[in-house]
Amino acid sequence: HFVQDDAHVYCTTEQIQDELLACLDFAYYLYDLFDLDMRVELSLRPENKPGTEEERDFAEEELRKALASKGLDYVESEGEGSFYGPKIDLHMDDSLGRSWQLGTVQLDYNLPERFQLEYTGADNTTHRPVMIHRAPFGSMERFCGMLIEHFAAAFPLWLAPEQVRILGLNDD
């Protein structure tokens, strides 16, 4: 088995930017704790995808706006998005120069539609929420493997309390 840190944030269309920025801030906070340099990829719609072109256009543009707002350089990768939505993928290189994809922030209109999720808005009518998949580590096993490679197994002699807490280690 593996442990994935995937959280699902449900929000209104008006909340998308704030939530995307919070997801990116959280990921970069975690990566900074381990002194990791990230590269950003905007993964766009694949051929086989549900939903409308308008939803895909809107979702991709929302991710672009969030990246621009943070001032992040990124490359766009056509066809690399997940089937249910475009995503921001966060990559880093280990000590041997190998690339690892760690975190992802995905904007999903498909699953709220499939599960027929609704909320009542301020206008007292029903609306469909948007789902953001937030997984800063990907899986804990991959993240720990990447840390071993990143440090070339020469770990620092100490870990800061925040690093200990995040990795689930006992500090005694």
Side-chain angles (χ1 to χ4, degrees):
H1 81 264
F2 66 94
V3 177
Q4 189 159 356
D5 66 330
D6 191 15
H8 298 119
V9 178
Y10 296 92
C11 62
T12 68
T13 302
E14 297 77 26
Q15 295 169 323
I16 289 173
Q17 281 304 302
D18 288 341
E19 294 299 330
L20 289 175
L21 296 175
C23 289
L24 290 169
D25 285 345
F26 182 56
Y28 274 86
Y29 163 76
L30 294 172
Y31 302 147
D32 286 346
L33 287 173
F34 295 96
D35 198 30
L36 302 176
D37 294 321
M38 303 309 300
R39 287 186 324 281
V40 180
E41 177 180 348
L42 178 57
S43 298
L44 304 174
R45 69 190 84 184
E47 283 295 317
N48 186 13
K49 62 192 178 310
T52 67
E53 290 300 312
E54 292 79 21
E55 287 172 336
R56 290 290 174 144
D57 290 343
F58 182 79
E60 289 174 357
E61 191 54 35
E62 287 297 302
L63 294 176
R64 283 186 189 99
K65 285 194 303 192
L67 292 170
S69 178
K70 298 302 288 176
L72 296 172
D73 292 326
Y74 63 94
V75 297
E76 291 191 6
S77 296
E78 290 290 336
E80 293 298 319
S82 64
F83 74 94
Y84 50 78
K87 58 185 180 160
I88 297 170
D89 289 323
L90 303 168
H91 299 263
M92 61 86 55
D93 293 333
D94 65 21
S95 62
L96 299 176
R98 294 179 295 193
S99 179
W100 295 72
Q101 190 241 313
L102 294 180
T104 186
V105 178
Q106 304 170 4
L107 196 50
D108 181 357
Y109 282 84
N110 178 54
L111 290 178
E113 178 73 30
R114 288 188 62 200
F115 293 128
Q116 299 176 0
L117 301 178
E118 295 179 335
Y119 68 93
T120 302
D123 60 0
N124 210 27
T125 63
T126 59
H127 301 272
R128 183 94 48 221
V130 178
M131 181 193 301
I132 298 173
H133 301 257
R134 182 199 74 194
F137 293 126
S139 76
M140 290 305 292
E141 293 79 4
R142 179 175 32 176
F143 184 74
C144 288
M146 181 281 311
L147 280 179
I148 292 168
E149 295 294 338
H150 176 64
F151 289 111
F155 294 106
L157 295 177
W158 59 270
L159 288 175
E162 194 66 8
Q163 291 167 315
V164 169
R165 186 184 66 73
I166 287 169
L167 293 175
L169 303 173
N170 245 341
D171 56 354
D172 41 300

